[in-house]
């Protein structure tokens, strides 16, 4: 059984790890993977048809904990403990829930002190006791005596008399004063761990298509002086097609990983007679995981030839288009494929069907996707009409012709 410390409006964890409000989904998954022998049976809950309308949830079924992530920015928004019998909880080092200590209303009052008047939800038959960044829900249907509600109790405040011994059914940790209105906070400095994150990524365009990327970056820097508190640093960097490997390193720093392409499965679509000739050297990617961007370099020239990124990790203002009134309209990676076609036009060629798999023996849970080419961009579209990834490629080299096979 996990023994965890509750920090209102901040986190739930122990000495080895903690789930912090505002932390990225990937960081929470990394914690679960590292401690898989202790934290088992984790479910991933999401909406296939409307992925941006519902929170993304990691359900720790063995421990009675749910982690709710914002669907857009994928940062931790709410920590819910829905089964207090499966976990030990303490506040300021003192347990208020364990096998020996029941989380009764008296125990909550003793551990956390006075609070504002509670809120009673008659439809759910739950009484919510709210602190800043922390809420407890008490179940009423198990009480032998019906709750007594007095609308004009004192000082104009409504009161609900809760029987002694009522225990907590659920606990929520969130940011702010209201669970219903809470939002995922900005990523705390403790979650940077020496990494740089992208706040936004804009596509720089020329007359025919994308020319490069402009990245607005966030880093946990330090102010002057050895004892200065860490603070957020914001800065911009731009990377263009044709930039050298050294240019990209100076702009974005070292990548998290370098991946060399061993094969090109799109060669079969090429009309070129050289498509069966194996390459003597392989193109390679710089993978910037915290930026949501992969940069492909040509193996011979060592210059940028493509940008690629999963749409869900790329907070990107992708495309700009002027409407009939001369106003600029923005299309983002959260836009659906139908909206993108309205701004940029419809593809001329039929899509390429892409079958992804995580390993040779497993199929992709999201199913097959369709890749459309449009204005030197490849849009990988899922069956629910949302964008799975976007790939940008540069203009053709002098004397060459743009081919569909080079879009992969």
């Amino acid at each position: 059984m996990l023994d965890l410390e509750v920090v209102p409006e901040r986190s739930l964890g122990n000495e080895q790890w903690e789930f912090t409000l505002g932390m990225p989904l990937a960081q929470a998954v990394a914690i679960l993977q590292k401690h898989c022998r202790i934290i088992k049976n984790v479910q991933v809950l999401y909406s296939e048809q409307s992925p941006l309308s519902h929170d993304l949830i990691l359900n720790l079924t063995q421990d009675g904990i749910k982690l709710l992530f914002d669907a857009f920015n994928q940062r931790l928004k709410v920590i819910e403990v829905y089964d207090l019998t499966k976990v030990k909880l303490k506040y300021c080092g003192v347990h208020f829930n364990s096998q020996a200590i029941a989380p009764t209303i008296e125990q909550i009052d003793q551990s956390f002190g006075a609070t504002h008047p509670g809120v009673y939800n008659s439809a759910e038959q739950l009484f919510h006791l709210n602190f800043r960044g922390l809420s407890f829900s008490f179940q009423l249907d198990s009480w032998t005596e019906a709750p007594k509600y007095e609308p004009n109790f004192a000082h104009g405040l409504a009161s609900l008399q809760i029987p002694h011994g009522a225990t907590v059914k659920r606990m929520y940790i969130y940011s702010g004063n209201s669970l219903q209105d809470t939002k995922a906070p900005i990523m705390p400095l403790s979650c940077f761990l020496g990494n740089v994150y992208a706040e936004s990524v804009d596509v720089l365009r020329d007359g025919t298509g994308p020319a490069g990327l402009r990245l607005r970056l966030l880093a946990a820097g330090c102010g002057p002086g050895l004892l200065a508190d860490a603070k957020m640093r914001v800065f911009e960097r731009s990377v263009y097609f044709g930039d050298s490997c050294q240019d990209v390193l100076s702009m974005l720093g070292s990548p998290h990983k370098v991946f060399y392409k061993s094969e090109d499965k799109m060669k079969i679509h090429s009309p070129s007679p050289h498509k069966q000739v194996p390459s003597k050297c392989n193109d390679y990617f710089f993978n910037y995981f915290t930026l949501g961007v992969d940069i492909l370099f040509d193996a011979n020239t060592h210059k940028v030839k493509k940008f690629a990124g999963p749409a869900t990790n790329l907070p990107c203002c992708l495309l700009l288009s002027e409407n009939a009134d001369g106003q600029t309209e923005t299309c983002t990676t959260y836009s659906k494929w139908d909206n993108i076609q309205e701004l940029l036009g419809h593809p001329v060629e039929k899509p390429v069907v892409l079958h992804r798999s995580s390993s040779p023996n497993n199929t992709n849970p999201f199913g097959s996707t369709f890749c459309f080419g449009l204005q030197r961009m490849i849009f990988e579209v899922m069956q629910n009409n949302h964008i799975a990834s976007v790939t940008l490629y540069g203009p053709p080299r002098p004397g060459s012709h743009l081919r569909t096979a080079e879009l992969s």
Side-chain angles (χ1 to χ4, degrees), residues 280-394:
K280 296 182 180 180
C281 50
N282 298 326
D283 295 345
Y284 55 95
F285 281 99
F286 275 9
N287 304 123
Y288 291 95
F289 298 131
T290 58
L291 305 184
V293 176
D294 298 327
I295 302 177
L296 179 65
F297 292 90
D298 184 274
N300 296 311
T301 64
H302 302 284
K303 293 184 177 181
V304 176
K305 59 186 294 187
K306 292 178 188 175
F307 297 99
T312 50
N313 289 335
L314 193 63
C316 186
C317 292
L318 263 180
L319 317 162
L320 298 178
S321 177
E322 288 190 358
N323 57 23
D325 299 330
Q327 296 178 342
T328 301
E329 295 183 2
T330 302
C331 186
T332 73
T333 50
Y334 304 124
S335 303
K336 291 188 176 182
W337 176 234
D338 292 341
N339 304 122
I340 294 176
Q341 292 182 92
E342 291 178 2
L343 288 177
L344 299 179
H346 297 268
V348 177
E349 299 183 1
K350 293 182 179 180
V352 174
V353 181
L354 181 61
H355 302 278
R356 294 186 185 274
S357 59
S358 55
S359 70
N361 298 321
N362 294 327
T363 58
N364 179 16
F366 301 102
S368 301
T369 55
F370 300 92
C371 296
F372 295 88
L374 192 62
Q375 296 187 17
R376 301 211 316 260
M377 291 173 282
I378 299 284
F379 295 89
E380 183 185 356
V381 183
M382 296 184 289
Q383 297 179 17
N384 58 11
N385 207 32
H386 283 273
I387 307 300
S389 68
V390 180
T391 300
L392 318 176
Y393 54 94

Side-chain angles (χ1 to χ4, degrees), residues 177-218:
N177 288 317
S178 172
L179 176 61
Q180 288 70 32
D181 301 329
T182 189
K183 297 180 180 179
I186 62 173
M187 190 166 60
L189 296 176
S190 60
C191 292
F192 276 84
L193 303 177
N195 293 304
V196 177
Y197 285 83
E199 183 182 50
S200 64
V201 181
D202 296 333
V203 175
L204 302 172
R205 293 170 57 85
D206 55 24
T208 60
L213 297 179
R214 180 174 59 238
L215 301 94
R216 183 177 173 85
L217 305 176
L218 303 177

Side-chain angles (χ1 to χ4, degrees), residues 14-29:
N14 54 29
E15 292 80 5
Q16 287 74 41
W17 51 265
E18 68 175 355
F19 298 118
T20 307
L21 295 176
M23 76 184 314
L25 171 65
Q27 225 170 86
V29 172

